[in-house]
Amino acid sequence: QVQFVESGGGLVQAGGSLRLSCAASRSAFSSNLIGWYRQAPGKERELVVGISTGGSPNYADSVKGRFTMSRDNGKNMVYLQMNSLKPEDTAVYYCNFVNAFIIRAWGQGTQVTVSP
């Protein structure tokens, strides 16, 4: 089974930083098409960072310049470094494939709460 497990969320003040981690199964990690989504209560899930045609991270305009995705191939981990956090970043964050054909069921995600 392909599995993603998110962690690292928490409560942070506006302007602060947080690093989220995504532990992927080896089979899932073999794909370069892993990105980050988020969903606030009562709102639609949105893609925060996808993968461009060239294989590099493609950030949503709302987080561009503040969020950075990286990978650790040795640990099968994907990270999301979030800086200059804003209250509107408050959401549950998920990692998953960004290709619709291979996207998996959503896990529990990790809650990020940014206070004013």
Side-chain angles (χ1 to χ4, degrees):
Q1 293 182 335
V2 176
Q3 182 177 353
F4 300 100
V5 179
E6 304 90 348
S7 62
L11 175 64
V12 65
Q13 293 283 335
S17 298
L18 208 59
R19 190 180 76 160
L20 306 183
S21 298
C22 171
S25 65
R26 187 166 62 183
S27 60
F29 197 81
S30 66
S31 172
N32 192 43
L33 300 175
I34 301 173
W36 287 89
Y37 301 78
R38 69 184 181 187
Q39 185 173 28
K43 298 182 179 180
E44 296 181 353
R45 184 182 296 108
E46 64 174 331
L47 180 64
V48 175
V49 50
I51 305 298
S52 70
T53 303
S56 60
N58 185 19
Y59 301 95
D61 289 340
S62 59
V63 306
K64 195 171 298 181
R66 300 187 297 118
F67 290 11
T68 303
M69 185 174 72
S70 61
R71 293 166 61 100
D72 186 331
N73 294 328
K75 298 180 179 179
N76 293 347
M77 298 285 289
V78 181
Y79 303 101
L80 184 65
Q81 179 66 47
M82 306 184 296
N83 299 323
S84 302
L85 283 164
K86 305 175 180 180
E88 50 263 44
D89 294 319
T90 296
V92 178
Y93 285 72
Y94 305 87
C95 55
N96 210 327
F97 294 123
V98 297
N99 185 305
F101 289 98
I102 59 174
I103 194 168
R104 308 306 299 173
W106 301 103
Q108 295 299 308
T110 185
Q111 176 72 50
V112 172
T113 303
V114 184
S115 62

